[in-house]
Amino acid sequence: MHCRASYSVASAARRSVAAAVSSPTALLQRAGVNVALHGAPHGACMRGASVRAHASQPQVSARIAATDAPIIVTTKRLMASCPGAVSLAQGIVYWGPPPCALATAADLLREGGAGLSGYGPAEGLPALREALRAKIATQNGLVSHEVMVTAGANQAVVNAVLALVDEGDSVLLFKPYYFNHLMAVQMCGGARSVEFGDCDASTLHPDLAWLEARLSTPPTPSTPRVRMVIITNPCNPSGVLMSKEEVQQAAKLCADNGAWLLLDNTYEDFVYGGLEHFADPSPNVVHVFSMSKAYGMMGWRVGYLAYSSAPGEGGAPSLADQLLKVQDTTVICPTQLSQHVALAALGAEGAAYVKEQIEGLEGNRAAVLDALSPLASKAGGGMVAGGEGAIYFWARLPAGWEDDTRVFEWLVRRHKVCVIPGSSCGAPGHIRAAFANLTLTACVEAAGRLKAGLSELVELGPAALELQ
């Protein structure tokens, strides 16, 4: 079961979380910029520093150089070098948009696509925004909120970070975090002041006691004010679901301390076991939603922001106006055809289709949970979490396997199955396994490969990685 090429992803996937909080000097040096500090001790701030780049070669942005490499790109490249490898890595669903939505797209194109090729309204098509306002009012309890349509949920996050956070403000994430959230903060200039809280060791729910203590800490040069907290609920990567009371507590803690809560609700429809998703309506909470997952519209790129329509206090700038600046500078407007597909998908026929698809994931969930069972044993990592929401399980590898990228690479090379290494989510020594991206038959096959690999790992220990 050899791969076609010798492909190493260790350097990309092992990027230490410490890189996110590196000094300005380190950020510039990693970007290849020669930094000289005149009369300053090692590690001093950049004030008064002389920054000299090689005159013959322009340098890339230190800000982007300090941004983590995208793990999904890494997994795809590794799998491409190993023919026959299957993925339990990327968080997508195996189905496409509701047939009624695709029929709408076909009709529009068949009729000539009038109006589809021009720029549309920056905030999104009026009819879609009206439908989304109705949806968030009835389904999410957000009755006094405005919406902005974006090119997927990731763009919604970037819009929010750019509109709400200044360089030097602290942004809080909980480990394990969604890697693209950290990357958004890093590339927007927040690499030096992003901070990480832990989740409860037994539940993997965010440690709200830590959040309260950090938010109430007076700002100092070493502990800047917290401007934003980012939480995904249900959680990517852990698959856990915060309760209504936990979400309300997080929102209130942020409000009491002048911070925004950016709540990513991408997996709102993926909730199991009689649990319920909750979206807090507080005005300091900005919501991210996506059409990619439940509606199978990954490649159509439609997400949206929902935020309080109340005017800013004391003459503060309108959030809507600030978001528009970002939107107009980046995408100008969301893709017109994609928005028509989203609008058609939001109807009763689309809702019934989505419900049927999600209910059909039960076999997938069971197969992947069983695949991780070797890690649930005492000899394994002793912990498998998830199953409350989203489309993931999260598991701890056996003691001594903090270098999870070796396990990740070995699983692809030897067992032809791919997962996400926990180090890409700030938690070395873990793996994330997705269960919605393959049909049941294919998922059972992939789960069998994963179980065989993990069983071998637990039984043989480090010697297993010598097997090819």
Side-chain angles (χ1 to χ4, degrees), residues 247-260:
V247 175
Q248 288 176 322
Q249 183 182 354
K252 186 176 188 303
L253 288 172
C254 290
D256 290 347
N257 292 278
W260 295 98

Side-chain angles (χ1 to χ4, degrees), residues 330-348:
T330 52
V331 296
I332 298 181
C333 67
T335 303
Q336 301 256 49
L337 182 59
S338 295
Q339 292 184 82
H340 284 285
V341 173
L343 178 59
L346 288 170

Side-chain angles (χ1 to χ4, degrees), residues 105-132:
D107 290 343
L108 287 170
L109 293 173
R110 191 179 301 112
E111 294 165 3
L116 296 178
S117 298
Y119 291 132
E123 309 98 315
L125 294 177
L128 177 57
R129 294 177 65 222
E130 181 180 355
L132 291 173

